[in-house]
């Protein structure tokens, strides 16, 4: 009887602390509210500077219409193809 009482006395505060620590802090904004929040600012994909929504859209269209497409060295392009082919073969023939 004394053992059960002593175990209960020692474990009761631990159980009570776990319940209190499971709750989020009161200053946290619930996730449901954060999901409905409209984000009006963005960051530049080029240099990471903050942009307004209009500036972000303008930059996005400029990048999409860019005339300069990156040129890849043909040797590197062939190497990438061979690596992709090797990856495909490894999925089909795992012991290869």
């Amino acid at each position: 009887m004394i053992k059960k009482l002593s175990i209960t006395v020692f474990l009761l505060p631990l159980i009570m602390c776990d319940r209190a620590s499971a709750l989020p802090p009161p200053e946290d904004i619930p996730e449901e509210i954060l999901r409905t929040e409209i984000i009006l600012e963005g960051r530049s994909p080029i240099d990471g500077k903050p942009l307004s929504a209009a500036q972000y859209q303008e930059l996005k269209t400029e990048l999409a219409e860019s005339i300069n497409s990156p040129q890849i060295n043909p040797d590197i392009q062939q190497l990438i193809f061979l690596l992709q082919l090797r990856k495909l073969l490894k999925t089909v023939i795992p012991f290869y």
Side-chain angles (χ1 to χ4, degrees):
M1 175 95 174
I2 295 176
K3 284 186 178 182
K4 289 183 182 181
L5 182 62
S6 64
I7 292 174
T8 307
V9 170
F10 287 117
L11 292 179
L12 188 61
L14 295 175
I15 295 170
M16 298 303 284
C17 290
D18 286 343
R19 287 185 189 163
S21 65
L23 296 174
E27 63 271 1
D28 271 2
I29 300 172
E31 186 178 345
E32 292 81 12
I33 294 174
L34 291 175
R35 280 191 209 150
T36 60
E37 186 178 0
I38 298 172
I39 300 171
L40 298 176
E41 67 276 344
R43 293 213 171 259
S44 169
I46 298 171
D47 55 5
K49 292 182 181 176
L51 300 173
S52 68
Q55 291 171 332
Y56 181 77
Q57 186 62 31
E58 185 179 317
L59 181 64
K60 192 175 178 182
T61 54
E62 284 179 19
L63 290 174
E65 296 172 356
S66 176
I67 299 171
N68 300 333
S69 61
Q71 297 295 322
I72 299 175
N73 188 348
D75 294 334
I76 295 175
Q77 197 169 12
Q78 182 182 9
L79 182 62
I80 291 171
F81 171 73
L82 290 173
L83 287 171
Q84 289 173 342
L85 183 64
R86 181 176 178 229
K87 183 178 179 182
L88 176 69
L89 285 173
K90 281 191 164 251
T91 58
V92 175
I93 309 169
F95 52 84
Y96 173 68

